[in-house]
Amino acid sequence: LVTKVNTDQQVISLTISDITNQSNLTAILNNLATFGIKATFFVDSTVNTDFIEQIFAAGHEIGNQSYQHVDTTQLSATQLAAEITQMDNIIVNATGESSKPFFRAPYGITNDSVLTTAGSLDYNYTIGWTTDSKDWTGTLTADQLSTNIINSLAPGSIYLFHANSLANNTPDALLNIISSAKSIGYDFVTISDLLVVGGIIPERF
């Protein structure tokens, strides 16, 4: 389970989950492209396959969040394995590439069984987050979201955002966050590259 990596380098990762709103996804992709930044998107069956194709075509990393967006600790190992495999098949069909080795448990809820089951399928890294932007509440302005993240900036951190219908302020918040963080020397990298920096994996997948 990875929620942060140990490093002195000013590198951080943006991760996007719950990708169900076309308008917000498009705006997020456009804003990331403006700064030449790659993020890691975790998808489940609620995401339209066209969205997966858009994310992949833009050069972003895609991880597996299981087929159904449910508490995976309530599933048997067999059920969870089927969920992860079913979602990976969708990702492979859309992109031609597997989502291995990155898994994210819905709601960030894990236990030893979830980690072991994911690992048995070659999802060796279950990715959590250091800071939840709370954009999913739909109650925070872009300025509030930006301030919360900027105040929590720290090397090796992983930040959680969403692209659902409640995250309407996320695109603008990301513009503010990226601009502010880069102005004080931070670089944004994918989860793959963050794990390389942290010495967790030897080279980028």
Side-chain angles (χ1 to χ4, degrees):
L1 176 63
V2 181
T3 59
K4 186 177 182 179
V5 305
N6 293 321
T7 179
D8 292 329
Q9 296 183 44
Q10 287 185 295
V11 292
I12 53 181
S13 285
L14 300 175
T15 65
I16 320 292
S17 295
D18 199 10
I19 303 148
T20 56
N21 184 280
Q22 176 70 82
S23 177
N24 288 337
L25 172 62
T26 298
I28 288 170
L29 291 176
N30 288 341
N31 290 348
L32 292 175
T34 295
F35 287 94
I37 286 172
K38 302 304 180 187
T40 303
F41 290 73
F42 288 90
V43 299
D44 58 35
S45 65
T46 62
V47 66
N48 188 302
T49 53
D50 289 344
F51 295 179
I52 297 176
E53 293 171 1
Q54 289 176 44
I55 293 164
F56 184 75
H60 297 286
E61 191 165 68
I62 297 176
N64 190 324
Q65 201 166 14
S66 79
Y67 186 76
Q68 300 182 78
H69 199 89
V70 298
D71 178 357
T72 54
T73 64
Q74 301 302 307
L75 302 178
S76 69
T78 299
Q79 289 171 325
L80 177 56
E83 289 270 325
I84 294 173
T85 300
Q86 187 174 4
M87 192 62 228
D88 191 51
N89 289 339
I90 292 172
I91 295 167
V92 170
N93 287 338
T95 68
E97 294 186 9
S98 172
S99 53
K100 298 174 184 179
F102 302 121
F103 172 69
R104 167 168 281 171
Y107 313 109
I109 303 172
T110 64
N111 59 18
D112 288 344
S113 177
V114 169
L115 298 178
T116 299
T117 301
S120 73
L121 298 173
D122 295 326
Y123 287 89
N124 298 321
Y125 310 99
T126 293
I127 308 300
W129 51 84
T130 315
T131 302
D132 179 354
S133 70
K134 301 293 181 67
D135 60 349
W136 51 269
T137 65
T139 62
L140 300 177
T141 66
D143 284 344
Q144 289 172 323
L145 290 170
S146 303
T147 299
N148 291 345
I149 297 300
I150 292 166
N151 287 344
S152 73
L153 289 176
S157 293
I158 299 169
Y159 296 93
L160 172 66
F161 294 90
H162 299 79
N164 58 27
S165 58
L166 291 174
N168 293 324
N169 293 323
T170 297
D172 286 344
L174 285 173
L175 284 178
N176 296 337
I177 291 163
I178 294 168
S179 179
S180 295
K182 288 179 75 69
S183 73
I184 57 175
Y186 277 92
D187 287 324
F188 293 80
V189 299
T190 62
I191 289 295
S192 287
D193 288 336
L194 189 70
L195 267 57
V196 170
V197 170
I200 296 173
I201 57 178
E203 59 185 20
R204 192 179 191 282
F205 283 83

